[in-house]
Amino acid sequence: MEIILLLAHMEAGGTLARSAREALHVAADLHKSLTGSKLVVGLIGENVQTAADSIAAGPAMKYFGVTGKDFGQSRYATDAAAAEAICKAAQATLVVAPATLRWNRTLPGVAQRLGGRVDTHVTGVSSTPAQGVGVNRWYYRQRMEAGLQRAQRPWFLLIDPGSQPACECGAGKANVELVAVNLSDACRRTTVVGIREPAADAQTIRPDAQLLFVTGAGWTKKQADGRTHLPEAEKLIRDFLQLGRASLGSSKSLVDQSGEGQAVLSFLSHLNQVGQTGATPRHPKGLSSCCHGEEPHTVGWRFVGERRAINLDPNCGWARGKADVLYVADAFKVMAKVNELLAAKSR
Ligand SMILES: Cc1cc2nc3c(=O)[nH]c(=O)nc-3n(C[C@H](O)[C@H](O)[C@H](O)COP(=O)(O)OP(=O)(O)OC[C@H]3O[C@@H](n4cnc5c(N)ncnc54)[C@H](O)[C@@H]3O)c2cc1C
């Protein structure tokens, strides 16, 4: 009999992230398709009751928790000890968890301790009576997809955020069984003194955003008047990100400019790059601006649902079947108008 454990850590305020609810959706589906299986939830954080209550009307039959100040922050030693203790208490055979930064670096080690196996970048889980549990996952920066089964247990499945619908199970009152963890002094050797991160409005990569807004090198090129308009470009893009809550992507040409000492958009880094040598983000919609749409770039758009582009050139790469809609227009004018409409709507 499979015991499916949904393993989640808390966000600030003791809540569950959307990625945890996506993993719960996978775990619940698996539970439904595996006759006789059990679904349990394991939560780790300073306090987990609010999170447990928020999904208490769901299909899980039991809730385990590891709580206390030591578990409020991301730290390998304490996270691994907590996850190991919950897996043992639940006697889990299948551990489903969101592929967050925190779990990606912890759960492979826990799988090793428990003599199990782990798969990361999982985007689909299924089960049939004939073949058992199978997963789909990606290799080589999401270029090759594989389907595989494993007999080894426990099997840890790290679900790629954005690849699943979120479980909408309702709230209730959960009875959380607390699991004790004996932390050695070595576990506390690393002290988290604080987190250095960009201010909320400087954070341009938003995996949960409905829209991916991609900027290309055209924003920094000479325009019809023979001059560049960098400050204006910066303002248009920033305003749009703020008003539309979009995630910011970029072509390689634009992010590379900073390395060459040219004038650049100050809030862009290589982390924003989309494409063959960049990221392959997942968003329901994408809007490209001042970017030519060359293959090494657009290959990074494969998981973007609806694609639109703004380019002055009617023969740009997007026009060759890579965008659903191409606006042959000046992106400076289009985005100024879009911002004006969004601002009016938000008033
Ligand atoms: C091995 C390899 C790997 C690569 N990996 C990547 C990758 O991961 N990601 C990536 O992005 N690239 C990658 N590239 C580079 C890629 O081939 C292109 O060179 C790059 O994507 C071009 O960037 P761009 O479209 O922003 O710039 P450009 O090609 O300079 O295009 C600028 C566009 O802006 C338009 N434009 C200018 N002004 C306006 C305006 N006012 N309104 C509307 N449109 C305007 C122009 O018409 C033009 O089409 C790779 C290349 C190689 C060889």
Side-chain angles (χ1 to χ4, degrees):
M1 181 191 61
E2 299 279 16
I3 299 179
I4 305 159
L5 168 67
L6 177 276
L7 201 54
H9 55 74
M10 299 302 101
E11 300 302 307
T15 55
L16 285 179
R18 182 192 151 89
S19 57
R21 285 179 175 269
E22 289 183 23
L24 178 54
H25 173 85
V26 170
D29 269 4
L30 203 51
H31 168 54
K32 231 190 273 170
S33 64
L34 284 170
T35 317
S37 65
K38 281 187 190 169
L39 173 62
V40 299
V41 168
L43 301 172
I44 296 168
E46 188 163 352
N47 191 323
V48 301
Q49 190 63 50
T50 310
D53 287 348
S54 73
I55 52 170
M61 58 179 292
K62 204 163 178 182
Y63 293 81
F64 294 95
V66 169
T67 59
K69 228 177 166 32
D70 280 324
F71 305 99
Q73 53 198 206
S74 169
R75 174 171 49 185
Y76 179 86
T78 42
D79 280 346
E84 183 185 356
I86 288 186
C87 290
K88 283 183 176 162
Q91 295 181 303
T93 57
L94 292 167
V95 182
V96 182
T100 57
L101 198 62
R102 195 164 166 181
W103 277 160
N104 276 343
R105 68 177 182 152
T106 306
L107 294 187
V110 179
Q112 178 70 14
R113 286 183 194 184
L114 296 174
R117 292 286 184 273
V118 61
D119 278 287
T120 56
H121 288 300
V122 173
T123 51
V125 181
S126 59
S127 91
T128 59
Q131 297 205 305
V133 180
V135 304
N136 284 52
R137 60 162 297 182
W138 292 83
Y139 291 95
Y140 298 109
R141 297 193 70 106
Q142 313 213 53
R143 259 152 211 77
M144 286 170 60
E145 189 181 17
L148 50 97
Q149 282 109 26
R150 290 186 191 277
Q152 188 94 14
R153 298 290 185 268
W155 187 10
F156 288 72
L157 311 176
L158 284 156
I159 311 295
D160 258 2
S163 67
Q164 308 292 323
C167 178
E168 291 303 338
C169 38
K173 186 78 198 141
N175 191 7
V176 181
E177 182 179 321
L178 293 181
V179 179
V181 182
N182 283 328
L183 293 178
S184 64
D185 284 347
C187 283
R188 297 193 181 91
R189 211 163 34 197
T190 303
T191 310
V192 181
V193 291
I195 294 175
R196 231 185 266 170
E197 60 183 357
D201 62 348
Q203 182 58 268
T204 58
I205 298 174
R206 302 177 178 130
D208 285 344
Q210 289 295 305
L211 178 75
L212 171 71
F213 181 64
V214 166
T215 50
W219 283 106
T220 61
K221 299 234 160 110
K222 283 184 183 162
Q223 295 298 310
D225 58 2
R227 293 173 26 230
T228 60
H229 292 265
L230 223 62
E232 198 184 335
E234 283 228 16
K235 182 164 173 14
L236 284 171
I237 296 163
R238 250 188 223 284
D239 285 355
F240 179 67
L241 293 178
Q242 243 162 35
L243 291 163
R245 304 302 300 160
S247 189
L248 180 63
S250 174
S251 71
K252 181 164 164 47
S253 296
L254 187 53
V255 294
D256 277 355
Q257 287 180 8
S258 59
E260 300 303 325
Q262 295 178 34
V264 284
L265 301 172
S266 60
F267 44 82
L268 273 177
S269 80
H270 279 94
L271 293 176
N272 296 94
Q273 186 187 318
V274 170
Q276 184 183 335
T277 45
T280 314
R282 292 168 189 270
H283 295 274
K285 293 181 179 181
L287 176 63
S288 155
S289 56
C290 297
C291 163
H292 194 68
E294 282 190 29
E295 191 58 28
H297 173 74
T298 54
V299 73
W301 281 62
R302 82 175 63 169
F303 299 122
V304 175
E306 189 189 316
R307 305 158 173 208
R308 298 188 179 202
I310 312 166
N311 201 305
L312 284 171
D313 177 3
N315 289 315
C316 68
W318 298 109
R320 294 177 212 141
K322 291 178 187 161
D324 302 302
V325 178
L326 169 67
Y327 303 101
V328 179
D330 181 342
F332 282 83
K333 288 188 184 146
V334 174
M335 294 317 294
K337 185 69 189 171
V338 169
N339 286 347
E340 190 188 308
L341 293 172
L342 284 174
K345 210 172 156 195
S346 67
R347 258 182 238 128

